[in-house]
Amino acid sequence: MKPTSIKSPMALVAAVASLALVAACGSGDEDASGSAGSPDKPVTIDYWSWMPGTKETAEAFNKSQKNVRVRFSEVPAGLAGGYDKLAKGVKAGNAPDVMNVEYQALPDLVTQGLIADSSELLGDTVKKAPQQVQDLVTLGGKQWAAPFDVAPQMMYYRKDLFEKHKIPVPKTWTEYAEAAEKIKKADSKARITAFWSDDTATWAALAQQAGATWYTAEGDSWKVDINDAATNKVADFWGGLVKDDLVFNHKAWSPESTKATADHRVYTRISASWGAGALKTEQPDQAGKWASVALPGWGDGKTGMVGGSSFAVVKDSKKAAAAAEFVTWATTSDEAVKARLAAGTSSALPADEKLRDVAKQSFDTAYFDGQDLYAAASEQVPNINAGWVWSPVHNATSVELTAALGKASDGDFSAALAKGQATAEKLIKDRGLKLAE
């Protein structure tokens, strides 16, 4: 096959199709009768997750259904142990029937043979999501998971502090740097943000906004561009803010970051649509002080996407049809959205646009002074920069890149990006895939 530059996410599987087919082998028809439970003898499926509101989702499903029952188990977050637990479970024959999978992790889990091909069971459900999200769960022309949310990057800001110091809310990164200088001048102990410099997901989204594409399928080969010009532009910008002491350089979700925010020394948070729930949970005493706006940009109106998750049927499930009934309900029903968001710990933006009004009504926005967070986030979905795909080695690459970024306390992130580049290229070769020259 002659290598051809392919930027469409739908085409990424040219390089992994054979592995995807191996992963699917034997997983398409184990459960022809799995949904044939009855109120007297329901089918029980196992569901693993760590995400906010998912336990409540399972409980709501059990209250509304009689033929299928869900047994929920909380597991560590994906790269913190959840995905390793899944791999061991599949190998040992005691894996769950359903698991939540982040979009960036899906190609890796598919090529490891951990996820079932759910094209027939979930294909129609997948089509309810925006094309950008459909592309992230479609590999080799097959659907491997049903999307739950879409996660455009957003900026949360302390509107009271911006108003107090008469600082305009920045709309571009140039204005953001100017605001950072004004904030430090107005309050020497405060900074415009606690930059989570070791958070690979944040870096990927910022790079996507700037026009980067870390991974590209070229014919039957993979091209890696983690340290490309667009990503280095982002690195230079944030590195400059670190070196000029205009931001706190904190580890993601660290006690240090939480305390600085609690002490009113952090004016903005770079996050995503799901970040409202996280902020509300982390800083309950700052109700009414925060608001959400579009992420500052480079002048083209584009943004990136941070995370986002899907529901996947696990390979070798003997109850795949019953599992798909739960997945379909969890990703398309009003009741599921209400259950997931009502607790206030999650503010996930449903991928299915028809569910966003329900989401708006379910998540209490009193903390944000009643702001229509879902309208603000929905407006950014079409602005997510197209062409972004994830590689089948990104999970392992992310571990190495996170460690390297965490060591860049001086703001020189170039070495970390080079480390990520070299790691991804080696992992592609080690996985038996071709690396584009």
Side-chain angles (χ1 to χ4, degrees):
M1 180 184 298
K2 182 180 179 180
T4 303
S5 179
I6 300 174
K7 295 187 177 181
S8 167
M10 293 294 288
L12 74 91
V13 287
V16 298
S18 60
L19 287 173
L21 291 173
V22 171
C25 183
S27 65
D29 59 357
E30 294 93 335
D31 184 41
S33 61
S35 62
S38 67
D40 295 331
K41 192 177 180 180
V43 174
T44 298
I45 63 171
D46 286 295
Y47 166 43
W48 290 1
S49 186
W50 66 91
M51 297 179 179
T54 50
K55 180 174 183 289
E56 291 81 359
T57 300
E59 291 171 347
F61 178 83
N62 287 336
K63 290 178 181 178
S64 67
Q65 309 292 318
K66 297 186 181 299
N67 293 351
V68 179
R69 308 292 294 173
V70 174
R71 183 163 49 213
F72 175 84
S73 296
E74 185 171 349
V75 295
L79 288 180
Y83 297 141
D84 285 342
K85 185 177 177 68
L86 174 64
K88 292 175 182 176
V90 170
K91 183 177 181 180
N94 57 11
D97 300 287
V98 177
M99 184 165 177
N100 283 125
V101 177
E102 298 154 299
Y103 298 130
Q104 66 265 29
L106 188 63
D108 198 334
L109 302 189
V110 167
T111 57
Q112 288 185 57
L114 305 180
I115 304 298
D117 170 11
S118 298
S119 302
E120 292 187 10
L121 292 171
L122 298 175
D124 290 341
T125 301
V126 171
K127 293 173 184 175
K128 296 179 183 293
Q131 191 63 50
Q132 303 115 304
V133 180
Q134 290 186 44
D135 292 342
L136 296 176
V137 299
T138 303
L139 313 175
K142 300 176 183 295
Q143 285 74 48
W144 298 89
F148 177 74
D149 64 325
V150 57
Q153 207 164 25
M154 304 293 292
M155 184 179 80
Y156 298 88
Y157 72 101
R158 282 288 300 268
K159 58 182 182 180
D160 59 325
L161 297 178
F162 273 86
E163 291 172 359
K164 176 182 178 180
H165 299 297
K166 296 181 174 56
I167 299 173
V169 178
K171 295 182 179 180
T172 67
W173 289 121
T174 298
E175 292 175 357
Y176 191 86
E178 292 170 352
E181 294 177 350
K182 293 176 182 178
I183 288 167
K184 183 180 178 181
K185 183 176 180 180
D187 183 350
S188 62
K189 295 182 179 180
R191 297 294 182 270
I192 194 168
T193 197
F195 181 54
W196 292 350
S197 59
D198 69 331
D199 188 46
T200 297
T202 295
W203 276 101
L206 291 170
Q208 180 182 13
Q209 181 196 46
T213 304
W214 280 5
Y215 308 104
T216 307
E218 293 192 345
D220 61 352
S221 303
W222 280 97
K223 181 179 180 181
V224 180
D225 271 326
I226 292 176
N227 64 345
D228 69 346
T231 306
N232 273 289
K233 179 173 76 170
V234 173
D236 289 345
F237 175 80
W238 288 100
L241 294 180
V242 170
K243 293 172 184 177
D244 291 341
D245 192 28
L246 295 176
V247 297
F248 296 123
N249 189 8
H250 290 161
K251 295 191 183 313
W253 308 105
S254 64
E256 182 182 23
S257 176
T258 299
K259 186 177 188 305
T261 306
D263 291 343
H264 311 285
R265 295 186 291 120
V266 173
Y267 281 47
T268 72
R269 174 168 292 184
I270 306 302
S271 186
S273 47
W274 47 260
L279 185 59
K280 178 180 178 181
T281 302
E282 178 192 309
Q283 303 291 340
D285 295 336
Q286 294 182 7
K289 300 181 184 299
W290 289 89
S292 175
V293 292
L295 190 73
W298 299 104
D300 60 2
K302 298 298 183 180
T303 193
M305 190 164 91
V306 188
S309 65
S310 65
F311 284 73
V313 177
V314 175
K315 182 178 180 291
D316 294 334
S317 169
K318 305 304 182 195
K319 306 168 184 176
E325 283 191 27
F326 167 61
V327 170
T328 299
W329 181 91
T331 56
T332 65
S333 73
D334 292 358
E335 292 77 11
V337 172
K338 292 175 183 176
R340 184 151 178 178
L341 302 184
T345 55
S346 173
S347 58
L349 178 69
D352 185 349
E353 189 174 358
K354 294 180 181 178
L355 296 175
R356 292 178 194 168
D357 282 342
V358 177
K360 173 184 174 180
Q361 296 165 17
S362 302
F363 182 80
D364 184 358
T365 59
Y367 182 89
F368 294 90
D369 202 23
Q371 181 187 356
D372 190 346
L373 299 175
Y374 284 88
S378 291
E379 288 174 359
Q380 294 307 308
V381 172
N383 298 328
I384 295 172
N385 226 347
W388 187 271
V389 299
W390 296 106
S391 85
V393 300
H394 182 70
N395 281 359
T397 300
S398 181
V399 173
E400 295 295 327
L401 183 55
T402 296
L405 288 167
K407 296 177 182 178
S409 59
D410 61 352
D412 184 2
F413 300 112
S414 58
L417 296 176
K419 172 69 173 177
Q421 176 80 18
T423 297
E425 290 178 344
K426 181 179 185 300
L427 288 168
I428 285 171
K429 293 179 181 178
D430 292 348
R431 188 70 70 86
L433 300 172
K434 293 183 179 180
L435 185 66
E437 296 182 0

